[in-house]
mmCIF file of all heavy atoms in Angstrom:
data_model
loop_
_atom_site.group_PDB
_atom_site.id
_atom_site.type_symbol
_atom_site.label_atom_id
_atom_site.label_comp_id
_atom_site.label_asym_id
_atom_site.label_seq_id
_atom_site.Cartn_x
_atom_site.Cartn_y
_atom_site.Cartn_z
ATOM 1 N N GLY A 1 -70.682 98.830 178.170
ATOM 2 C CA GLY A 1 -70.389 97.861 177.106
ATOM 3 C C GLY A 1 -69.520 98.418 175.960
ATOM 4 O O GLY A 1 -69.649 99.609 175.707
ATOM 5 N N TRP A 2 -69.000 97.581 175.154
ATOM 6 C CA TRP A 2 -68.301 97.856 173.940
ATOM 7 C C TRP A 2 -68.890 97.021 172.888
ATOM 8 O O TRP A 2 -69.211 95.861 173.054
ATOM 9 C CB TRP A 2 -66.837 97.661 173.922
ATOM 10 C CG TRP A 2 -66.053 98.651 174.678
ATOM 11 C CD1 TRP A 2 -65.538 98.555 175.985
ATOM 12 C CD2 TRP A 2 -65.495 99.886 174.109
ATOM 13 N NE1 TRP A 2 -64.811 99.656 176.299
ATOM 14 C CE2 TRP A 2 -64.899 100.523 175.159
ATOM 15 C CE3 TRP A 2 -65.668 100.475 173.056
ATOM 16 C CZ2 TRP A 2 -64.247 101.772 175.047
ATOM 17 C CZ3 TRP A 2 -65.084 101.765 172.679
ATOM 18 C CH2 TRP A 2 -64.378 102.451 173.812
ATOM 19 N N PHE A 3 -69.334 97.651 171.724
ATOM 20 C CA PHE A 3 -69.881 96.911 170.573
ATOM 21 C C PHE A 3 -69.108 97.415 169.353
ATOM 22 O O PHE A 3 -68.418 98.467 169.291
ATOM 23 C CB PHE A 3 -71.380 97.408 170.390
ATOM 24 C CG PHE A 3 -72.363 96.809 171.479
ATOM 25 C CD1 PHE A 3 -72.403 97.575 172.735
ATOM 26 C CD2 PHE A 3 -73.077 95.740 171.238
ATOM 27 C CE1 PHE A 3 -73.086 97.055 173.755
ATOM 28 C CE2 PHE A 3 -73.891 95.280 172.320
ATOM 29 C CZ PHE A 3 -73.897 95.969 173.503
ATOM 30 N N ARG A 4 -69.247 96.563 168.299
ATOM 31 C CA ARG A 4 -68.667 97.050 167.015
ATOM 32 C C ARG A 4 -69.632 96.742 165.841
ATOM 33 O O ARG A 4 -70.485 95.899 165.989
ATOM 34 C CB ARG A 4 -67.302 96.358 166.852
ATOM 35 C CG ARG A 4 -67.475 94.817 166.727
ATOM 36 C CD ARG A 4 -66.054 94.167 166.645
ATOM 37 N NE ARG A 4 -66.136 92.698 166.487
ATOM 38 C CZ ARG A 4 -65.013 91.936 166.578
ATOM 39 N NH1 ARG A 4 -63.821 92.303 166.943
ATOM 40 N NH2 ARG A 4 -65.221 90.665 166.395
ATOM 41 N N GLN A 5 -69.447 97.407 164.794
ATOM 42 C CA GLN A 5 -70.136 97.252 163.573
ATOM 43 C C GLN A 5 -69.281 97.385 162.331
ATOM 44 O O GLN A 5 -68.747 98.572 162.056
ATOM 45 C CB GLN A 5 -71.327 98.292 163.450
ATOM 46 C CG GLN A 5 -72.397 98.009 162.507
ATOM 47 C CD GLN A 5 -73.575 98.819 162.481
ATOM 48 O OE1 GLN A 5 -73.650 99.777 163.185
ATOM 49 N NE2 GLN A 5 -74.758 98.279 162.001
ATOM 50 N N ALA A 6 -69.200 96.333 161.518
ATOM 51 C CA ALA A 6 -68.485 96.461 160.346
ATOM 52 C C ALA A 6 -69.499 96.650 159.143
ATOM 53 O O ALA A 6 -70.610 96.431 159.233
ATOM 54 C CB ALA A 6 -67.820 95.032 160.059
ATOM 55 N N PRO A 7 -69.048 97.111 157.959
ATOM 56 C CA PRO A 7 -69.869 97.420 156.881
ATOM 57 C C PRO A 7 -70.749 96.242 156.501
ATOM 58 O O PRO A 7 -70.242 95.150 156.331
ATOM 59 C CB PRO A 7 -68.954 97.792 155.705
ATOM 60 C CG PRO A 7 -67.752 98.416 156.441
ATOM 61 C CD PRO A 7 -67.650 97.499 157.668
ATOM 62 N N GLY A 8 -72.108 96.433 156.465
ATOM 63 C CA GLY A 8 -72.958 95.370 155.953
ATOM 64 C C GLY A 8 -73.292 94.412 157.143
ATOM 65 O O GLY A 8 -73.997 93.471 156.796
ATOM 66 N N LYS A 9 -72.805 94.645 158.277
ATOM 67 C CA LYS A 9 -72.992 93.683 159.464
ATOM 68 C C LYS A 9 -73.863 94.345 160.376
ATOM 69 O O LYS A 9 -74.001 95.531 160.482
ATOM 70 C CB LYS A 9 -71.639 93.294 160.024
ATOM 71 C CG LYS A 9 -70.698 92.635 158.960
ATOM 72 C CD LYS A 9 -71.112 91.292 158.609
ATOM 73 C CE LYS A 9 -70.072 90.503 157.886
ATOM 74 N NZ LYS A 9 -70.544 89.183 157.394
ATOM 75 N N GLU A 10 -74.517 93.476 161.140
ATOM 76 C CA GLU A 10 -75.335 93.937 162.421
ATOM 77 C C GLU A 10 -74.288 94.449 163.619
ATOM 78 O O GLU A 10 -73.191 93.961 163.703
ATOM 79 C CB GLU A 10 -76.192 92.811 162.954
ATOM 80 C CG GLU A 10 -77.275 92.377 162.083
ATOM 81 C CD GLU A 10 -78.363 93.474 161.923
ATOM 82 O OE1 GLU A 10 -78.743 94.205 162.914
ATOM 83 O OE2 GLU A 10 -78.818 93.603 160.689
ATOM 84 N N ARG A 11 -74.857 95.333 164.343
ATOM 85 C CA ARG A 11 -73.948 95.747 165.472
ATOM 86 C C ARG A 11 -73.752 94.573 166.426
ATOM 87 O O ARG A 11 -74.753 93.805 166.817
ATOM 88 C CB ARG A 11 -74.593 96.894 166.285
ATOM 89 C CG ARG A 11 -73.795 97.436 167.316
ATOM 90 C CD ARG A 11 -74.216 98.894 167.758
ATOM 91 N NE ARG A 11 -74.180 99.805 166.729
ATOM 92 C CZ ARG A 11 -74.296 101.155 166.813
ATOM 93 N NH1 ARG A 11 -74.596 101.693 168.083
ATOM 94 N NH2 ARG A 11 -74.281 101.896 165.868
ATOM 95 N N GLU A 12 -72.461 94.290 166.854
ATOM 96 C CA GLU A 12 -72.112 93.122 167.564
ATOM 97 C C GLU A 12 -71.595 93.376 168.882
ATOM 98 O O GLU A 12 -70.761 94.309 169.187
ATOM 99 C CB GLU A 12 -71.077 92.321 166.653
ATOM 100 C CG GLU A 12 -70.585 91.070 167.240
ATOM 101 C CD GLU A 12 -69.439 90.557 166.409
ATOM 102 O OE1 GLU A 12 -68.507 91.303 165.848
ATOM 103 O OE2 GLU A 12 -69.476 89.243 166.048
ATOM 104 N N PHE A 13 -72.015 92.588 169.922
ATOM 105 C CA PHE A 13 -71.379 92.733 171.268
ATOM 106 C C PHE A 13 -70.048 92.362 171.284
ATOM 107 O O PHE A 13 -69.586 91.317 170.657
ATOM 108 C CB PHE A 13 -72.260 91.934 172.183
ATOM 109 C CG PHE A 13 -71.665 91.658 173.521
ATOM 110 C CD1 PHE A 13 -71.809 92.638 174.454
ATOM 111 C CD2 PHE A 13 -70.905 90.468 173.886
ATOM 112 C CE1 PHE A 13 -71.150 92.468 175.695
ATOM 113 C CE2 PHE A 13 -70.318 90.429 175.066
ATOM 114 C CZ PHE A 13 -70.482 91.253 176.067
ATOM 115 N N VAL A 14 -69.161 93.077 172.017
ATOM 116 C CA VAL A 14 -67.778 92.696 172.275
ATOM 117 C C VAL A 14 -67.415 92.494 173.626
ATOM 118 O O VAL A 14 -66.785 91.407 173.948
ATOM 119 C CB VAL A 14 -66.914 93.906 171.679
ATOM 120 C CG1 VAL A 14 -65.338 93.613 171.906
ATOM 121 C CG2 VAL A 14 -67.137 94.186 170.135
ATOM 122 N N ALA A 15 -67.804 93.358 174.518
ATOM 123 C CA ALA A 15 -67.358 93.139 175.914
ATOM 124 C C ALA A 15 -68.414 94.042 176.826
ATOM 125 O O ALA A 15 -68.839 95.112 176.239
ATOM 126 C CB ALA A 15 -65.971 93.552 176.172
ATOM 127 N N ALA A 16 -68.449 93.528 178.114
ATOM 128 C CA ALA A 16 -69.391 94.397 178.955
ATOM 129 C C ALA A 16 -68.871 94.278 180.376
ATOM 130 O O ALA A 16 -68.029 93.190 180.799
ATOM 131 C CB ALA A 16 -70.815 94.095 178.975
ATOM 132 N N ILE A 17 -68.997 95.300 181.270
ATOM 133 C CA ILE A 17 -68.543 95.243 182.604
ATOM 134 C C ILE A 17 -69.553 95.910 183.505
ATOM 135 O O ILE A 17 -70.153 96.866 183.112
ATOM 136 C CB ILE A 17 -67.175 96.000 182.669
ATOM 137 C CG1 ILE A 17 -66.479 95.917 183.998
ATOM 138 C CG2 ILE A 17 -67.364 97.502 182.199
ATOM 139 C CD1 ILE A 17 -65.025 96.322 183.974
ATOM 140 N N GLY A 18 -69.623 95.388 184.736
ATOM 141 C CA GLY A 18 -70.543 95.867 185.757
ATOM 142 C C GLY A 18 -70.095 97.117 186.381
ATOM 143 O O GLY A 18 -69.038 97.645 186.153
ATOM 144 N N TRP A 19 -71.061 97.832 187.224
ATOM 145 C CA TRP A 19 -70.814 99.177 187.653
ATOM 146 C C TRP A 19 -69.624 99.102 188.601
ATOM 147 O O TRP A 19 -68.931 100.164 188.697
ATOM 148 C CB TRP A 19 -72.020 99.678 188.460
ATOM 149 C CG TRP A 19 -72.520 98.816 189.657
ATOM 150 C CD1 TRP A 19 -73.244 97.745 189.686
ATOM 151 C CD2 TRP A 19 -71.879 99.009 190.954
ATOM 152 N NE1 TRP A 19 -73.460 97.228 190.984
ATOM 153 C CE2 TRP A 19 -72.587 98.060 191.878
ATOM 154 C CE3 TRP A 19 -71.033 99.903 191.608
ATOM 155 C CZ2 TRP A 19 -72.281 97.963 193.264
ATOM 156 C CZ3 TRP A 19 -70.799 99.808 192.923
ATOM 157 C CH2 TRP A 19 -71.403 98.838 193.758
ATOM 158 N N SER A 20 -69.300 98.076 189.254
ATOM 159 C CA SER A 20 -68.143 97.947 190.185
ATOM 160 C C SER A 20 -66.855 97.364 189.645
ATOM 161 O O SER A 20 -65.895 97.266 190.264
ATOM 162 C CB SER A 20 -68.585 97.275 191.435
ATOM 163 O OG SER A 20 -68.737 95.810 191.122
ATOM 164 N N GLY A 21 -66.924 97.024 188.375
ATOM 165 C CA GLY A 21 -65.812 96.326 187.728
ATOM 166 C C GLY A 21 -65.864 94.966 187.739
ATOM 167 O O GLY A 21 -64.974 94.300 187.189
ATOM 168 N N GLY A 22 -66.805 94.273 188.139
ATOM 169 C CA GLY A 22 -67.153 92.833 188.111
ATOM 170 C C GLY A 22 -68.080 92.491 187.029
ATOM 171 O O GLY A 22 -68.288 93.302 186.115
ATOM 172 N N ASN A 23 -68.392 91.218 187.070
ATOM 173 C CA ASN A 23 -69.417 90.777 186.071
ATOM 174 C C ASN A 23 -68.956 91.123 184.579
ATOM 175 O O ASN A 23 -69.581 91.797 183.910
ATOM 176 C CB ASN A 23 -70.804 91.229 186.404
ATOM 177 C CG ASN A 23 -71.229 90.692 187.660
ATOM 178 O OD1 ASN A 23 -71.232 89.492 187.900
ATOM 179 N ND2 ASN A 23 -71.964 91.540 188.505
ATOM 180 N N ILE A 24 -67.828 90.650 184.300
ATOM 181 C CA ILE A 24 -67.218 90.893 182.950
ATOM 182 C C ILE A 24 -67.447 89.857 182.002
ATOM 183 O O ILE A 24 -67.359 88.647 182.245
ATOM 184 C CB ILE A 24 -65.748 91.042 182.986
ATOM 185 C CG1 ILE A 24 -65.287 92.282 183.871
ATOM 186 C CG2 ILE A 24 -65.049 91.130 181.755
ATOM 187 C CD1 ILE A 24 -63.989 92.465 184.090
ATOM 188 N N TYR A 25 -68.084 90.203 180.746
ATOM 189 C CA TYR A 25 -68.431 89.231 179.605
ATOM 190 C C TYR A 25 -67.743 89.603 178.397
ATOM 191 O O TYR A 25 -67.407 90.769 178.046
ATOM 192 C CB TYR A 25 -69.923 89.186 179.471
ATOM 193 C CG TYR A 25 -70.754 88.946 180.726
ATOM 194 C CD1 TYR A 25 -71.705 89.906 181.047
ATOM 195 C CD2 TYR A 25 -70.512 87.894 181.469
ATOM 196 C CE1 TYR A 25 -72.481 89.717 182.218
ATOM 197 C CE2 TYR A 25 -71.356 87.693 182.607
ATOM 198 C CZ TYR A 25 -72.217 88.598 182.981
ATOM 199 O OH TYR A 25 -73.025 88.483 183.989
ATOM 200 N N TYR A 26 -67.401 88.621 177.533
ATOM 201 C CA TYR A 26 -66.613 88.889 176.295
ATOM 202 C C TYR A 26 -67.308 88.064 175.214
ATOM 203 O O TYR A 26 -67.834 86.855 175.358
ATOM 204 C CB TYR A 26 -65.212 88.441 176.319
ATOM 205 C CG TYR A 26 -64.374 89.302 177.177
ATOM 206 C CD1 TYR A 26 -63.986 88.837 178.460
ATOM 207 C CD2 TYR A 26 -63.884 90.577 176.779
ATOM 208 C CE1 TYR A 26 -63.107 89.614 179.193
ATOM 209 C CE2 TYR A 26 -63.042 91.264 177.683
ATOM 210 C CZ TYR A 26 -62.778 90.779 178.859
ATOM 211 O OH TYR A 26 -61.961 91.553 179.766
ATOM 212 N N LEU A 27 -67.253 88.587 173.952
ATOM 213 C CA LEU A 27 -67.522 87.808 172.809
ATOM 214 C C LEU A 27 -66.544 86.659 172.723
ATOM 215 O O LEU A 27 -65.331 86.892 172.887
ATOM 216 C CB LEU A 27 -67.469 88.676 171.560
ATOM 217 C CG LEU A 27 -67.662 88.149 170.127
ATOM 218 C CD1 LEU A 27 -68.962 87.522 169.897
ATOM 219 C CD2 LEU A 27 -67.256 89.101 169.108
ATOM 220 N N ASP A 28 -66.896 85.475 172.456
ATOM 221 C CA ASP A 28 -66.090 84.241 172.300
ATOM 222 C C ASP A 28 -64.829 84.687 171.501
ATOM 223 O O ASP A 28 -63.663 84.150 171.843
ATOM 224 C CB ASP A 28 -66.760 83.077 171.802
ATOM 225 C CG ASP A 28 -67.561 82.409 172.906
ATOM 226 O OD1 ASP A 28 -67.577 82.720 174.015
ATOM 227 O OD2 ASP A 28 -68.525 81.556 172.462
ATOM 228 N N SER A 29 -64.937 85.319 170.403
ATOM 229 C CA SER A 29 -63.748 85.319 169.579
ATOM 230 C C SER A 29 -62.685 86.391 169.916
ATOM 231 O O SER A 29 -61.708 86.441 169.338
ATOM 232 C CB SER A 29 -64.303 85.793 168.163
ATOM 233 O OG SER A 29 -64.831 87.093 168.058
ATOM 234 N N VAL A 30 -63.063 87.121 170.932
ATOM 235 C CA VAL A 30 -62.140 88.117 171.532
ATOM 236 C C VAL A 30 -61.532 87.787 172.901
ATOM 237 O O VAL A 30 -60.659 88.456 173.344
ATOM 238 C CB VAL A 30 -62.572 89.495 171.578
ATOM 239 C CG1 VAL A 30 -63.200 89.956 170.284
ATOM 240 C CG2 VAL A 30 -63.574 89.705 172.806
ATOM 241 N N LYS A 31 -61.943 86.619 173.394
ATOM 242 C CA LYS A 31 -61.463 86.138 174.743
ATOM 243 C C LYS A 31 -60.006 85.756 174.638
ATOM 244 O O LYS A 31 -59.585 85.188 173.694
ATOM 245 C CB LYS A 31 -62.196 84.963 175.192
ATOM 246 C CG LYS A 31 -63.635 85.252 175.655
ATOM 247 C CD LYS A 31 -64.383 83.961 176.096
ATOM 248 C CE LYS A 31 -65.833 84.244 176.443
ATOM 249 N NZ LYS A 31 -66.575 83.005 176.930
ATOM 250 N N GLY A 32 -59.229 86.266 175.540
ATOM 251 C CA GLY A 32 -57.829 86.133 175.579
ATOM 252 C C GLY A 32 -57.055 87.094 174.822
ATOM 253 O O GLY A 32 -55.802 87.186 174.875
ATOM 254 N N ARG A 33 -57.660 87.984 174.093
ATOM 255 C CA ARG A 33 -57.119 89.080 173.304
ATOM 256 C C ARG A 33 -57.497 90.453 173.767
ATOM 257 O O ARG A 33 -56.681 91.419 173.728
ATOM 258 C CB ARG A 33 -57.378 88.882 171.865
ATOM 259 C CG ARG A 33 -56.958 87.544 171.226
ATOM 260 C CD ARG A 33 -57.040 87.578 169.593
ATOM 261 N NE ARG A 33 -58.467 87.674 169.184
ATOM 262 C CZ ARG A 33 -58.997 88.803 168.438
ATOM 263 N NH1 ARG A 33 -58.096 89.720 168.058
ATOM 264 N NH2 ARG A 33 -60.237 88.792 168.211
ATOM 265 N N PHE A 34 -58.851 90.575 174.107
ATOM 266 C CA PHE A 34 -59.391 91.889 174.588
ATOM 267 C C PHE A 34 -59.472 91.844 176.141
ATOM 268 O O PHE A 34 -59.861 90.950 176.684
ATOM 269 C CB PHE A 34 -60.610 92.270 173.914
ATOM 270 C CG PHE A 34 -60.469 92.541 172.358
ATOM 271 C CD1 PHE A 34 -59.495 92.220 171.636
ATOM 272 C CD2 PHE A 34 -61.725 92.942 171.712
ATOM 273 C CE1 PHE A 34 -59.358 92.455 170.255
ATOM 274 C CE2 PHE A 34 -61.649 93.214 170.343
ATOM 275 C CZ PHE A 34 -60.480 92.931 169.594
ATOM 276 N N THR A 35 -59.329 93.082 176.661
ATOM 277 C CA THR A 35 -59.695 93.273 178.042
ATOM 278 C C THR A 35 -60.343 94.533 178.381
ATOM 279 O O THR A 35 -60.128 95.685 177.879
ATOM 280 C CB THR A 35 -58.408 93.439 178.854
ATOM 281 O OG1 THR A 35 -57.531 92.092 178.703
ATOM 282 C CG2 THR A 35 -58.665 93.461 180.447
ATOM 283 N N ILE A 36 -61.587 94.471 178.991
ATOM 284 C CA ILE A 36 -62.405 95.591 179.400
ATOM 285 C C ILE A 36 -62.157 95.943 180.775
ATOM 286 O O ILE A 36 -61.887 95.161 181.679
ATOM 287 C CB ILE A 36 -63.832 95.358 178.983
ATOM 288 C CG1 ILE A 36 -64.772 96.792 179.302
ATOM 289 C CG2 ILE A 36 -64.403 94.309 179.924
ATOM 290 C CD1 ILE A 36 -66.051 96.555 178.903
ATOM 291 N N SER A 37 -61.959 97.236 181.011
ATOM 292 C CA SER A 37 -61.886 97.828 182.381
ATOM 293 C C SER A 37 -62.410 99.171 182.539
ATOM 294 O O SER A 37 -62.837 99.714 181.613
ATOM 295 C CB SER A 37 -60.237 97.834 182.716
ATOM 296 O OG SER A 37 -59.709 98.737 181.889
ATOM 297 N N ARG A 38 -62.614 99.635 183.741
ATOM 298 C CA ARG A 38 -63.086 100.874 184.042
ATOM 299 C C ARG A 38 -62.381 101.604 185.161
ATOM 300 O O ARG A 38 -61.887 100.970 186.203
ATOM 301 C CB ARG A 38 -64.687 100.764 184.347
ATOM 302 C CG ARG A 38 -65.038 100.216 185.580
ATOM 303 C CD ARG A 38 -66.529 99.845 185.557
ATOM 304 N NE ARG A 38 -67.347 101.038 185.573
ATOM 305 C CZ ARG A 38 -68.616 101.128 185.194
ATOM 306 N NH1 ARG A 38 -69.316 100.145 184.893
ATOM 307 N NH2 ARG A 38 -69.309 102.299 185.357
ATOM 308 N N ASP A 39 -62.361 102.833 185.225
ATOM 309 C CA ASP A 39 -61.928 103.651 186.279
ATOM 310 C C ASP A 39 -63.021 104.689 186.626
ATOM 311 O O ASP A 39 -63.149 105.720 185.962
ATOM 312 C CB ASP A 39 -60.572 104.432 185.864
ATOM 313 C CG ASP A 39 -59.938 105.200 187.046
ATOM 314 O OD1 ASP A 39 -60.596 105.482 188.152
ATOM 315 O OD2 ASP A 39 -58.800 105.428 186.900
ATOM 316 N N ASN A 40 -63.818 104.313 187.752
ATOM 317 C CA ASN A 40 -64.989 105.220 188.080
ATOM 318 C C ASN A 40 -64.554 106.663 188.475
ATOM 319 O O ASN A 40 -65.281 107.550 188.409
ATOM 320 C CB ASN A 40 -65.715 104.540 189.053
ATOM 321 C CG ASN A 40 -66.545 103.404 188.565
ATOM 322 O OD1 ASN A 40 -66.690 103.127 187.347
ATOM 323 N ND2 ASN A 40 -67.097 102.542 189.446
#
């Protein structure tokens, strides 16, 4: 997973990916702009 934390804010989920590269999830505000991927 990828998370982010801005000053004064809680740590926030951004994106996650399953072990095989499937089951990908995104924070709504980054959909269409961010892409998570992995190279095992």
Side-chain angles (χ1 to χ4, degrees):
W2 285 97
F3 294 79
R4 65 189 183 188
Q5 189 165 24
K9 303 289 187 179
E10 296 291 323
R11 188 163 295 188
E12 178 182 46
F13 168 79
V14 176
I17 187 168
W19 65 268
S20 65
N23 296 313
I24 293 174
Y25 308 127
Y26 294 103
L27 175 68
D28 283 346
S29 64
V30 309
K31 288 179 180 176
R33 299 190 297 120
F34 291 11
T35 302
I36 188 171
S37 62
R38 67 191 294 162
D39 186 340
N40 287 347

